[in-house]
């Protein structure tokens, strides 16, 4: 079935079954591999993207549900690693293996949209869907606070 | 042939641009670039000059340093280049990291200058040590990487000296500039001449007091690629004409796929074909429990479905009817395995025990004592639960195999592909990628053999990915282990005898039986035998192996990961029986000058160690040595009246001797503590009907942001000759620090992990 999607502001037409998870369409059909597969059941957050600005687990979102909406992936967060979260992530050397970090950053971006100056409790609430097996949580927390500072100038 | 070669090069470069850059090449600062992947990574870039196998210098002074270790988060793509650059004295802002090439490694011997310098001690092969494990990257590569940089630097100086008609000793080298009097030139200008120079003797490497780059927390070279989605992991590899494979093998290791009905799914969209794997199917080495090679990475009986996209392959695989046979293991459970081990543990006269330590008459003294302490501890099977599910991409043709995989063991992967495809070693190219964690799991190459077999059967590029469920069911688990301790106290409440029995599933017996010595697996005994931190006048340590059909493997910090829990819990129990402060008691059991004192003293001071806390609050201590590094930790916990546990802070003191990058050490302490704490709180793999139960993150639970304690790392460095690893040694002390703190807070002693199976109310 032919579906048209808007990913990072660009239109893509793909031929897939409508129940295919958005994750695999992004990765295999469109070639955007920054969004990661971790669990397939919304329990790790590695696949986190934004749909119309809201956080979504792409592993558990049917591609048909994304038609007519704006999908943003890590590749679309900025053109040049310049989003305040990316700047803060680099300043704080957050990533270790890095595999979960696309999802962490996208979850953090949704959090900052809702709460531009999040408290630690806000960060707990906004970031606890995302697993990091390298245990970078403390640096993620610090980087989110730093990104909030950067964003507010 | 040259035409074919050109085509292949274009083919790979084309695929690289489609994937956003398969190459792992960086510059700092953040304006890093990801180059296209080169077919043979050892070839110099445009106009670049290889000075030795480790480094290439471009005309613009870009220095490309080859990394023999695998980047799985621990920071080797920064630390390894720093070791070379310290001696090369090049401009660090122009350094980039790439993987060393394993094909060249297995075909070439170590370079003559390295032999002349006496720096090649690991192997006879070019890049010395290309497998990553045992927290060995810095401590085991340090000398030869320094030598590669120093020998190149002296050749650059000699090349300039020759051109300028001066002595080499008159030439200085700093920040990629050579100078003598009023003459100066860049490394880029002299690289070609330097590559041809032979020196009468090789330079000595620096001592730590001479370091100028090492010791600084420079930004990691890989970070910018991990914040914009451009870092390429094995699972991200994309090739033209590539298809996708999903596999399912017997959930019971050693079980068999009786039948499958491909006809039921073959007309689904995108489905191409299916293969039976292992016995009666594709692949040269079927799984068998009774032969070491077969059980190490023989193909488990199962089936692969190939389709044009992964989701189509996976869906068809899941919908396809299959029938399994448990291969005689269908009645095995974790309870039955551990019950068998506990039976041995309860019988000190079991004939399968072998003594690891026999000093004095511990058994006799304890038997005659009226003041004894005894306890039994149990640690479960655990999975690595790598963030990136196992995967491998293979393109196998009649005369060449290309394999893309994030692996801790490129030479092992190379060997497996040679064996599986029947190609010559020089025809096999393993391309390493970033690893979405490894923790010891990505060492075995079982996934590489699967993909190579599927790739050979297909003859076109295929990416094989395990679903999370498949990843967990094909786990190679951290062994279970059970422990009995007995000790006796004299009239002054001082320990006079100590007797420890251990029964475990042995990794060596499973994978490398020739490494067993007198029936002892020294990894299984890590920290309990010769390197026990504590002294007792009489001491006996005995070990017995009880394996099962479950495959086991190294898990971050290996035997120490569980031994420290049992030992440090028992020492705590002894301290309480003696009415002593747990920290003071430990120090009292250490001889003067013991290396274990400093980390323990530092952590107690920094944590503000006290036993004077209200009910519901507690501090606990844990201490362990692994891979040459000693780590002591103090956990501070609170437990509510309803039994709700919160780990509030963990102080961590580390003595790894020297530090080359303080931030990387802190990051590894934090990472290891989260890893160890996750296991202590939640980690347990159950076996039911012969198969792993916990197959995803809804049942195999992970520590999350809202449970994260504050972690404070303190350096307790002894310097000197000590160079310890940092990737793993902070895992072992966490569990006992936390359970000892729980005891302090509640009076409840946890003798079996994980903590979550206990009611703390």
């Amino acid at each position: 079935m032919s579906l048209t999607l808007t990913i990072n502001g660009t239109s893509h037409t793909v031929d897939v079954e409508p129940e295919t998870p958005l994750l695999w369409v992004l990765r295999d059909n469109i070639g955007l591999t920054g969004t990661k597969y971790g669990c397939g059941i919304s329990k790790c957050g590695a696949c986190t993207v934004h749909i119309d600005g809201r956080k979504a687990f792409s592993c558990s979102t049917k591609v048909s549900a994304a038609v007519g909406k704006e999908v943003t992936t890590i590749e679309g967060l900025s053109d040049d690693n310049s989003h305040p979260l990316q700047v803060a992530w680099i300043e704080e050397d957050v990533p270790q293996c890095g595999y979960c970090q696309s999802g962490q950053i996208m979850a953090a971006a949704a959090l900052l949209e809702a709460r531009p100056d999040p408290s630690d409790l806000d960060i707990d609430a906004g970031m606890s869907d995302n697993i990091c097996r390298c245990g970078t949580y403390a640096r993620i927390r610090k980087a989110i606070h730093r990104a909030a500072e950067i964003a507010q100038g | 042939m040259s035409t074919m070669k050109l085509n292949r090069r274009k083919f790979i470069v084309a695929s690289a641009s489609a994937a956003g850059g398969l190459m792992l090449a960086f510059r700092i600062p953040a304006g890093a670039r990801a180059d296209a992947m080169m077919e043979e990574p050892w070839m110099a870039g445009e106009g670049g000059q290889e000075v030795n196998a480790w480094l290439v210098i471009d005309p613009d002074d870009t220095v490309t340093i080859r990394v023999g270790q695998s980047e799985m988060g621990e920071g080797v793509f920064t630390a390894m280049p720093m070791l070379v650059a310290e001696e090369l004295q090049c401009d660090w802002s122009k350094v980039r990291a790439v993987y060393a090439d394993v094909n060249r490694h297995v075909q070439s011997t170590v370079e003559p200058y390295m032999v002349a310098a006496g720096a090649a001690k690991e192997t006879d092969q070019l890049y010395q040590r290309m497998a990553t494990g045992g927290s060995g990257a810095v401590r085991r590569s340090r000398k030869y990487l320094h030598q590669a940089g120093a020998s190149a630097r002296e050749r650059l100086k000699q090349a300039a000296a020759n051109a300028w008609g001066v002595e080499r000793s008159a030439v200085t080298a700093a920040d990629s500039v050579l100078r003598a009097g009023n003459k100066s030139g860049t490394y880029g200008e002299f690289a070609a001449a330097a590559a041809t120079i032979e020196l009468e003797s090789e330079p000595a490497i620096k001592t730590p007091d001479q370091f100028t780059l090492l010791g600084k927390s420079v930004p990691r070279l890989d970070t910018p690629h991990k914040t914009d989605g451009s870092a390429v992991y094995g699972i991200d590899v994309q090739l033209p004409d590539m298809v996708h494979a999903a596999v399912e093998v017997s959930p019971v290791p050693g079980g068999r796929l009786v039948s499958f009905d491909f006809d039921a799914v073959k007309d689904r969209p995108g489905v191409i074909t299916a293969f039976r794997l292992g016995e009666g199917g594709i692949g040269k080495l079927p799984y068998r429990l009774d032969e070491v090679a077969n059980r190490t990475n023989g193909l488990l009986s199962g089936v692969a479905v190939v389709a044009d996209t992964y989701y189509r392959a996976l869906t068809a695989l899941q919908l396809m009817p299959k029938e399994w046979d448990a291969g005689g293991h269908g009645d095995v459970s974790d309870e039955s395995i551990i019950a068998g081990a506990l039976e041995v543990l309860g019988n000190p006269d079991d004939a399968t025990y072998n003594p690891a330590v026999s000093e004095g008459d511990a058994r006799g003294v304890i038997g005659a004592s009226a003041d004894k302490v005894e306890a039994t501890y149990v640690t479960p099977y655990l999975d690595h639960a790598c963030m990136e599910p196992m995967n491998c991409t293979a393109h196998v043709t009649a005369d060449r195999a290309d394999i893309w995989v994030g692996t801790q063991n490129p030479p092992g992967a190379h060997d497996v592909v040679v064996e599986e495809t029947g190609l010559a070693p020089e025809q096999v190219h393993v391309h390493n990628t970033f690893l979405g964690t490894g923790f010891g799991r990505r060492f075995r190459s079982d996934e590489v053999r699967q993909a190579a077999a599927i790739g050979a059967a297909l003859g076109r590029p295929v990416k094989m990915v395990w679903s999370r469920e498949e990843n967990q069911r094909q786990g190679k688990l951290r062994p279970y282990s059970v422990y009995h301790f007995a000790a006796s106290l004299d009239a002054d409440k001082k320990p006079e005898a100590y007797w420890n029995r251990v029964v475990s599933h042995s990794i060596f017996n499973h994978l490398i039986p020739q490494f067993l010595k007198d029936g002892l697996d020294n990894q299984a005994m890590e920290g309990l035998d010769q390197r026990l931190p504590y002294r007792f006048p009489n001491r006996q340590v005995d070990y017995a192996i009880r394996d099962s059909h479950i495959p086991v493997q190294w898990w971050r910090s290996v035997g120490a990961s569980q031994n420290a829990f049992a030992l440090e819990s028992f020492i705590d129990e002894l301290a309480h029986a003696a009415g002593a402060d747990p920290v003071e008691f430990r120090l009292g059991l250490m001889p003067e000058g013991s290396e274990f004192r400093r980390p323990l003293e530092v952590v107690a001071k920094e944590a503000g160690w006290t036993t004077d806390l209200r009910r519901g609050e507690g501090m606990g201590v844990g201490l362990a040595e692994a891979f040459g590094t000693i780590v002591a930790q103090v956990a501070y916990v609170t437990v509510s009246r309803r039994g709700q546990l919160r780990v509030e802070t963990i102080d961590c003191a580390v003595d790894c001797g020297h530090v080359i990058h303080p931030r990387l050490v802190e990051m590894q302490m934090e990472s290891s503590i989260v890893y160890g704490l996750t296991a202590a709180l939640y980690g347990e793999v159950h076996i039911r009907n012969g198969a792993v139960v916990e197959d995803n993150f809804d049942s195999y639970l992970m520590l999350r942001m809202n449970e994260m304690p504050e972690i404070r790392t303190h350096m307790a460095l002894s310097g000197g000759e000590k160079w310890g690893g940092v990737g793993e040694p902070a895992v072992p002390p966490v569990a006992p620090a936390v359970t000892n703190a729980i005891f302090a807070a509640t009076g409840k002693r946890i003798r079996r992990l994980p903590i979550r199976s206990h009611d703390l109310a």
Side-chain angles (χ1 to χ4, degrees):
Chain A
M1 181 176 183
S2 185
L3 299 174
T4 299
L5 300 167
T6 305
I7 316 287
N8 302 329
T10 303
S11 179
H12 298 267
T13 300
V14 292
D15 182 20
V16 294
E17 290 70 67
E19 68 273 17
T20 307
L22 176 61
L23 168 69
W24 295 110
V25 176
L26 291 172
R27 291 180 54 81
D28 288 354
N29 297 85
I30 298 173
L32 292 172
T33 55
T35 305
K36 299 302 193 227
Y37 168 60
C39 70
I41 58 167
S42 307
K43 289 291 178 189
C44 79
C47 69
T48 304
V49 298
H50 298 174
I51 299 177
D52 282 349
R54 297 171 69 101
K55 183 172 92 166
F57 298 117
S58 64
C59 77
S60 306
T61 303
K62 290 176 184 173
V63 64
S64 54
V67 172
K69 298 179 178 169
E70 293 280 341
V71 177
T72 307
T73 69
I74 185 69
E75 291 92 345
L77 193 63
S78 73
D79 291 335
D80 50 2
N81 246 338
S82 62
H83 186 282
L85 284 164
Q86 292 169 315
V87 172
W89 245 244
I90 292 167
E91 262 184 37
E92 301 292 340
D93 259 346
V94 172
Q96 291 189 27
C97 93
Y99 191 80
C100 74
Q101 297 294 343
S102 299
Q104 302 280 4
I105 291 170
M106 295 309 284
L111 171 64
L112 286 188
E113 278 296 314
R115 308 238 175 216
D117 187 14
S119 67
D120 280 339
L121 281 176
D122 293 332
I123 293 173
D124 283 350
M127 299 302 295
S128 291
D129 290 333
N130 292 69
I131 290 170
C132 174
R133 273 303 259 160
C134 300
T136 63
Y137 301 119
R139 284 173 199 272
I140 288 173
R141 183 186 301 281
K142 204 170 162 199
I144 292 173
H145 286 308
R146 177 73 187 119
E149 278 175 26
I150 295 169
Q152 287 162 15
Chain B
M1 283 310 286
S2 63
T3 311
M4 267 192 69
K5 201 169 174 67
L6 183 64
N7 286 344
R8 189 183 297 277
R9 179 179 302 278
K10 281 170 69 178
F11 157 91
I12 292 174
V13 170
S15 69
S17 60
L22 281 177
M23 177 54 187
L24 309 165
F26 322 110
R27 283 171 196 273
I28 53 166
R33 70 186 165 121
D35 290 0
M37 188 161 192
M38 290 178 285
E39 181 192 355
E40 284 94 2
W42 67 86
M43 293 179 70
E46 200 70 37
Q49 173 65 51
E50 179 174 296
V51 180
N52 61 44
W54 295 98
L55 60 103
V56 172
I57 301 177
D58 290 355
D60 69 355
D61 292 336
T62 297
V63 177
T64 302
I65 296 176
R66 278 84 179 248
V67 176
Q69 303 285 284
S70 300
E71 180 55 76
M72 48 189 166
E74 81 285 38
V76 293
F77 258 48
T78 306
M80 303 288 101
M82 284 177 81
L83 292 168
V84 176
E86 172 65 53
E87 289 283 0
L88 187 61
Q89 294 169 195
C90 58
D91 178 353
W92 175 252
S93 72
K94 290 185 174 176
V95 168
R96 60 179 191 159
V98 299
Y99 275 127
D101 186 80
V102 69
N103 179 286
R104 184 181 180 187
H105 172 73
V106 300
Q107 291 185 72
S108 321
T109 52
V110 61
E111 292 171 302
Y113 75 90
M114 197 68 89
V115 177
K121 300 275 176 65
E122 288 275 343
T123 67
D124 294 331
Q125 289 175 312
L126 182 66
Y127 288 112
Q128 293 293 286
R129 180 171 180 266
M130 278 196 76
T132 306
S135 296
V138 170
R139 69 192 170 98
R140 291 177 64 176
S141 312
R142 182 178 67 85
K143 289 184 179 171
Y144 59 78
L145 292 183
H146 281 328
Q147 193 65 51
S151 290
R153 180 196 67 226
E154 290 305 305
R155 280 164 175 74
L156 287 161
K157 285 164 68 174
Q158 186 65 56
N162 293 351
W164 298 335
V166 299
E167 291 295 310
R168 172 155 53 109
S169 58
V171 181
T172 62
D175 288 334
S176 300
V177 179
L178 298 153
R179 292 181 206 279
N182 60 357
K183 306 268 194 190
S184 73
T186 65
Y187 281 17
E189 288 169 46
F190 287 100
T196 66
I197 282 179
E198 289 183 27
L199 299 179
E200 279 182 19
S201 66
E202 296 301 323
I205 61 171
K206 294 179 182 178
T207 50
D209 57 301
Q210 297 170 306
F211 292 158
T212 56
L213 176 64
L214 297 180
K216 291 184 180 151
S217 294
V218 300
R220 288 176 65 132
L221 300 192
D222 54 345
T223 300
H225 293 266
K226 293 176 173 177
T227 57
D228 67 359
S230 64
V232 174
Y233 301 81
I235 202 169
D236 300 329
V237 169
Q238 299 180 58
L239 303 170
D241 199 34
M242 183 179 83
V243 292
H244 299 257
V247 301
E248 184 177 343
V249 303
S250 170
V252 181
R256 203 173 66 85
L257 177 65
V258 177
S259 64
F260 64 99
D261 182 9
F262 181 56
D263 284 347
V265 296
K266 70 178 171 44
D267 296 329
R268 290 187 56 81
V271 171
I272 297 167
T273 189
F275 299 105
R276 174 183 277 275
L277 298 169
E279 191 189 321
I282 62 169
K284 286 195 176 155
L285 188 74
Y287 180 88
R288 270 177 51 193
L289 188 56
D290 60 347
E291 292 285 340
V292 176
N294 300 65
R295 70 174 175 251
T296 298
N297 76 3
L299 287 169
L300 287 151
S301 176
V303 59
V305 172
V306 180
D308 62 347
T309 68
Y310 179 66
Y311 189 70
R312 284 171 164 175
L314 181 64
T315 306
L317 176 72
Q318 288 170 338
L319 291 172
M320 186 168 70
K322 299 169 226 66
E323 206 185 320
W324 303 97
D325 178 275
H329 308 297
D331 56 353
V332 178
S333 67
D334 56 288
E335 289 100 329
S336 71
I337 296 167
I338 289 175
L342 286 171
E343 200 178 308
V344 179
L345 196 70
N347 174 18
D349 297 319
D350 189 284
T352 57
Y353 278 114
N354 286 293
V357 177
S358 272
E359 296 163 356
D361 178 21
R363 197 172 175 173
V365 172
I366 293 167
S369 170
D371 196 356
K372 295 187 270 215
V373 181
E374 285 191 78
T376 295
Y377 303 91
V378 177
T379 57
Y381 283 113
L382 294 176
D383 190 78
H384 304 80
C386 288
M387 204 68 224
E388 177 191 13
M390 302 291 276
N391 62 82
C392 179
T393 299
H395 185 207
V396 181
T397 63
D399 62 358
R400 179 173 167 122
D402 283 277
I403 302 290
W404 290 265
V405 62
T407 175
Q408 290 178 247
N409 186 4
H414 188 271
D415 288 351
V416 160
V417 176
V418 167
E419 190 186 286
E420 187 60 43
T421 61
L423 292 167
E426 61 269 24
Q427 294 173 305
V428 170
H429 299 263
V430 173
H431 310 275
N432 208 353
T433 64
F434 284 128
L435 284 65
T437 71
F439 305 136
R441 177 64 184 90
R442 288 188 148 88
F443 209 95
R444 191 168 183 132
S445 305
D446 49 323
E447 84 283 26
V448 174
R449 182 180 292 278
Q450 259 189 357
I454 296 166
L458 271 174
R460 66 189 282 191
V462 57
K463 174 158 67 179
M464 181 202 74
V465 175
W466 292 357
S467 67
R468 171 57 61 187
E469 291 78 9
E470 187 68 9
N471 190 78
Q472 300 308 108
R473 288 192 296 252
Q474 291 200 49
K476 312 298 176 194
L477 306 185
R478 196 284 303 266
Y480 83 86
S481 194
V482 299
Y483 308 81
H484 185 268
F485 291 84
S488 61
L489 302 173
D490 66 16
D492 298 327
K493 294 287 183 187
K494 288 209 172 346
E496 54 184 8
Y498 167 101
W499 183 16
N500 173 209
R501 294 191 300 280
V502 182
V503 182
S504 82
H505 194 152
S506 162
I507 297 171
F508 278 166
N509 198 40
H510 178 72
L511 294 177
I512 326 173
Q514 63 271 29
F515 280 18
L516 294 173
K517 195 160 176 260
D518 301 326
L520 298 172
D521 176 335
N522 64 16
Q523 290 183 331
M525 299 302 290
E526 176 102 41
L528 298 178
D529 49 11
Q530 275 68 33
R531 291 292 293 173
L532 188 84
Y534 311 112
R535 292 288 171 269
F536 299 91
N538 300 279
R539 183 161 76 107
Q540 180 75 32
V541 180
D542 300 313
Y543 177 66
I545 295 173
R546 281 300 181 279
D547 289 354
S548 75
H549 73 291
I550 300 295
V552 291
Q553 193 158 314
W554 304 284
W555 185 93
R556 196 175 191 174
S557 79
V558 195
S561 73
Q562 58 215 116
N563 293 348
F565 163 69
L567 172 67
E568 289 294 295
S569 295
F570 184 67
I571 297 297
D572 225 59
E573 297 208 43
L574 264 187
H576 286 283
D581 174 278
V583 170
E584 288 303 319
F585 184 77
R586 282 171 170 78
L587 290 169
L589 290 177
M590 292 175 189
E592 281 304 310
S594 164
E595 298 167 75
F596 290 94
R597 299 184 83 94
R598 183 204 304 260
L600 184 57
E601 286 166 346
V602 168
V603 82
K605 176 169 176 286
E606 296 291 344
W609 170 261
T610 177
T611 54
D612 185 19
L613 293 166
R614 291 175 305 171
R615 183 161 179 82
E617 281 182 80
M619 277 195 182
V621 64
L623 173 69
E625 179 183 47
F627 309 109
T629 288
I630 297 170
V631 177
Q633 291 168 7
V634 168
Y636 168 63
V637 310
T638 54
V639 182
S640 74
R641 283 172 195 275
R642 287 159 59 189
Q644 185 68 37
L645 169 70
R646 177 147 191 106
V647 181
E648 305 281 352
T649 60
I650 293 181
D651 283 88
C652 172
V654 52
D655 181 8
C656 50
H658 298 267
V659 167
I660 64 159
H661 189 299
R663 186 183 266 191
L664 284 182
V665 175
E666 286 173 18
M667 290 167 84
Q668 285 309 296
M669 295 301 113
E670 293 161 11
S671 175
S672 297
I673 288 168
V674 173
Y675 201 75
L677 183 57
T678 301
L681 293 173
Y682 301 123
E684 182 167 30
V685 171
H686 290 95
I687 310 296
R688 294 274 184 282
N689 304 320
V692 164
V693 174
E694 289 79 7
D695 66 358
N696 209 320
F697 292 125
D698 54 347
S699 51
Y700 200 63
L701 303 183
M702 298 288 124
L703 189 93
R704 290 170 186 266
M705 175 68 86
N706 58 345
E707 302 159 295
M708 182 69 186
E710 184 186 348
I711 294 172
R712 299 184 289 236
T713 297
H714 316 284
M715 299 297 171
L717 305 175
S718 55
E721 293 302 304
K722 186 183 181 79
W723 284 83
V726 299
E728 302 168 84
V731 174
V734 188
V738 170
T739 53
N740 290 339
I742 290 170
F743 179 80
T746 66
K748 288 178 188 285
R749 177 60 66 184
I750 289 174
R751 297 193 180 93
R752 182 170 187 152
L753 293 176
I755 294 166
R756 79 152 166 154
S757 58
H758 300 267
D759 181 4
L760 302 180

